[in-house]
Amino acid sequence: MSLIGDGLNKAVQKAFTRPAPKSAGAQMRYLVKQLGGTKAVSQMLRVSQRTVERYVKDQIKKPRPDLAGRLDREVKARWQPQIRAKAKAKAASTNGIMIDVRARLGYTAPIGSTDQDRIRHLTLALPPVHAARLFEAQEQGATDARLQEIAAEALKEVYFQDGGRRAGSLDEVRFTDIEHLEFDL
């Protein structure tokens, strides 16, 4: 997936009330129950139906690393959907979202100002409106570039313009070379 999309997913997963299944057999059984059969799971994970059945019966215990990654990702994407929805709704309506980022940030501004890009480490609280835009774009299948644009617009308003109190003539924020990115609800 994408760096920003994965960061948003990890933030939402922190709201889970129970841990997701850990063993390969338990993960397969969960997916079979969610998707309604071994055939659908085998197509989704790109393995044979018989392989899925063996995991369900605990005849195979340790999956290949690539299959283990896909299995874990698919389980976590479906785990506790109501808790996930509540966490997103709360962030989008009342709490907002925290962003901790280390990246190259710069801006386009009038001539005579220092708009040189430089590495900055920021930890900021983004208002609910920006959290809502990020989650909405992610649900609609936005690319990482689009999510990065939305995050740059949020950083422009919150960090550079300080909610409209300064840098009113700022045109565009450049948000590139992301070294570290983490969200928290």
Side-chain angles (χ1 to χ4, degrees):
M1 192 165 180
S2 67
L3 182 66
I4 296 176
D6 287 344
L8 290 170
N9 286 336
K10 286 179 185 174
V12 171
Q13 289 171 7
K14 291 176 186 175
F16 288 166
T17 57
R18 293 179 315 183
K22 298 266 190 264
S23 72
Q27 289 176 331
M28 281 291 186
R29 285 188 288 278
Y30 176 75
L31 287 175
V32 167
K33 184 177 178 184
Q34 290 295 308
L35 298 176
T38 56
K39 186 174 184 177
V41 175
S42 68
Q43 291 172 347
M44 179 184 63
L45 295 175
R46 300 184 307 271
V47 294
S48 71
Q49 189 172 351
R50 182 69 185 126
T51 301
V52 173
E53 292 166 359
R54 287 184 180 131
Y55 278 109
V56 167
K57 293 179 182 176
D58 281 329
Q59 292 173 342
I60 305 175
K61 301 218 185 254
K62 187 152 174 55
R64 301 181 315 269
D66 62 323
L67 176 59
R70 287 193 311 263
L71 188 59
D72 191 51
R73 192 172 38 255
E74 293 298 334
V75 167
K76 285 185 178 171
R78 289 168 175 76
W79 189 249
Q80 293 190 328
Q82 293 173 337
I83 302 289
R84 179 186 312 272
K86 283 181 186 176
K88 286 181 180 181
K90 188 174 181 182
S93 63
T94 56
N95 287 0
I97 192 167
M98 289 292 293
I99 183 172
D100 180 40
V101 63
R102 181 170 166 78
R104 183 169 300 281
L105 288 159
Y107 52 89
T108 305
I111 296 174
S113 62
T114 57
D115 60 353
Q116 183 79 26
D117 293 4
R118 66 176 190 251
I119 297 288
R120 300 173 198 243
H121 185 194
L122 305 174
T123 303
L124 300 167
L126 300 181
V129 66
H130 296 295
R133 287 186 62 210
L134 282 167
F135 285 128
E136 185 178 314
Q138 182 189 28
E139 287 175 13
Q140 292 176 354
T143 63
D144 195 39
R146 179 64 187 135
L147 291 172
Q148 197 166 331
E149 287 173 20
I150 294 169
E153 291 168 12
L155 291 173
K156 172 185 169 186
E157 185 180 310
V158 174
Y159 179 70
F160 290 107
Q161 292 181 328
D162 194 20
R165 288 189 278 278
R166 60 184 169 142
S169 61
L170 201 64
D171 293 331
E172 172 192 16
V173 171
R174 291 183 298 278
F175 180 44
T176 57
D177 301 336
I178 300 171
E179 295 176 6
H180 167 77
L181 179 78
E182 189 174 334
F183 292 100
D184 198 13
L185 300 178

